[in-house]
Amino acid sequence: MKKTLAILAAVMSLSVHANEKLIVGATPVPHAEILEFVKPTLAKEGVDLEIKVFTDFIQPNQQLALKNLDANYYQYRPFLDDFNKTRHTDLVPVVGVHIEPFGAYSTKIKNIAELKDGATVSIPNDPVNTGRALVLLHEAGLIKLKDPSNTLATQRDIIDNPKHLKIRELEGALLARSVSQVDLAFVFANYALEAGIDTNSALIVEKGKSLYIEFLVARPDNINDPRIQKLAKALNSDEVRQFILTRYKGQIAPGF
């Protein structure tokens, strides 16, 4: 009888533990690193945080919508809104955590004024970030857009290209590799950090826009799940704020 009770207790214990698991998708740097930082805090609160690392911007949302993930952490609101609209999903932001600079880097020039006629520039190929890069090129005086306030601008919206720039659209994960292959490459800070690129060396940079705060994202059916809320609280803690400031030394900034 005692043996049976012990087995039942063990089974119940395993069930509770399994129910407390929280699977969160993230890109490697800094998102997965920040999640790793809060993992011990969540463990003390009975949440077993499992981090699934992705190297692209589509799968974390697809897997969340399919309920293979409980949440993800890698994107800002305009990207999420565009994904929901084009993929007919209804993923929801939970809390904002940090802001990453978005910049253009080069191994061939040290100043934008040195960019030659016919130079090749690589930019992201997803609609939101294509527009983001084109707006920065406009602000740097390298191109002119029909509407510089349009964050969803495409190359068709370029009305003047005085330097005859050849603009190549690449998947986000490939941009860091393209730095040595083109004259100017726009790279997301997470991929720049992962590739060992100093974000302070950007020739064009967009820093600190609240529009681009990176969010923890969930679904309408689980946004109020206690495990999600515990993670949200941990990600917006003073400890995480200090971790971001200390670990990344200004290369990314707290967004809360």
Side-chain angles (χ1 to χ4, degrees):
M1 183 66 178
K2 286 182 179 180
K3 187 175 181 181
T4 302
L5 288 172
I7 292 171
L8 280 171
V11 170
M12 289 177 68
S13 174
L14 286 171
S15 298
V16 170
H17 179 74
N19 288 339
E20 289 298 295
K21 178 169 280 192
L22 184 68
I23 306 174
V24 180
T27 44
V29 182
H31 309 81
E33 292 179 347
I34 294 172
L35 289 172
E36 286 287 355
F37 176 75
V38 301
K39 195 171 182 176
T41 299
L42 291 174
K44 291 175 184 176
E45 297 183 20
V47 178
D48 178 15
L49 179 60
E50 181 179 331
I51 304 162
K52 296 273 190 181
V53 177
F54 294 85
T55 56
D56 75 295
F57 290 161
I58 303 301
Q59 282 300 312
N61 274 343
Q62 286 184 337
Q63 295 303 313
L64 177 57
L66 291 170
K67 299 188 177 182
N68 294 326
L69 298 174
D70 298 306
N72 67 44
Y73 167 40
Y74 78 103
Q75 66 195 308
Y76 44 75
R77 189 66 182 267
F79 184 89
L80 174 62
D81 290 345
D82 182 72
F83 187 93
N84 279 333
K85 181 180 178 181
T86 58
R87 307 286 177 134
H88 308 292
T89 53
D90 57 354
L91 306 179
V92 290
V94 185
V95 291
V97 183
H98 76 274
I99 304 174
E100 299 178 5
F102 179 55
Y105 303 85
S106 178
T107 57
K108 298 181 180 178
I109 60 173
K110 294 183 179 180
N111 189 293
I112 282 299
E114 298 173 13
L115 200 61
K116 295 179 180 178
D117 190 273
T120 302
V121 180
S122 59
I123 67 172
N125 67 354
D126 66 277
V128 172
N129 291 307
T130 295
R132 192 180 180 190
L134 292 176
V135 167
L136 286 174
L137 285 173
H138 172 95
E139 291 174 350
L142 294 170
I143 62 170
K144 283 188 180 179
L145 292 173
K146 190 187 307 178
D147 178 8
S149 66
N150 180 15
T151 56
L152 292 176
T154 69
Q155 292 195 54
R156 291 190 297 273
D157 296 306
I158 299 173
I159 57 174
D160 192 18
N161 183 1
K163 282 185 177 282
H164 308 99
L165 301 179
K166 297 170 186 174
I167 301 174
R168 293 174 53 195
E169 297 180 15
L170 300 176
E171 185 182 340
L174 299 176
L175 290 166
R177 299 181 209 167
S178 77
V179 172
S180 61
Q181 301 166 3
V182 299
D183 299 290
L184 188 69
F186 281 86
V187 184
F188 299 104
N190 59 321
Y191 289 126
L193 290 168
E194 191 179 350
I197 298 171
D198 180 6
T199 58
N200 293 317
S201 68
L203 302 185
I204 302 174
V205 68
E206 168 207 87
K207 277 193 174 183
K209 281 192 180 179
S210 59
L211 180 65
Y212 297 112
I213 292 173
E214 309 264 320
F215 277 85
L216 173 68
V217 172
R219 298 184 305 271
D221 67 284
N222 74 348
I223 189 171
N224 294 316
D225 185 311
R227 297 168 302 160
I228 298 285
Q229 291 304 312
K230 285 177 181 178
L231 175 57
K233 183 179 178 182
L235 287 172
N236 275 185
S237 65
D238 289 337
E239 289 78 12
V240 165
R241 181 190 302 277
Q242 194 56 50
F243 175 77
I244 290 172
L245 292 171
T246 304
R247 175 67 175 264
Y248 303 106
K249 298 179 174 62
Q251 292 186 299
I252 69 169
F256 58 95

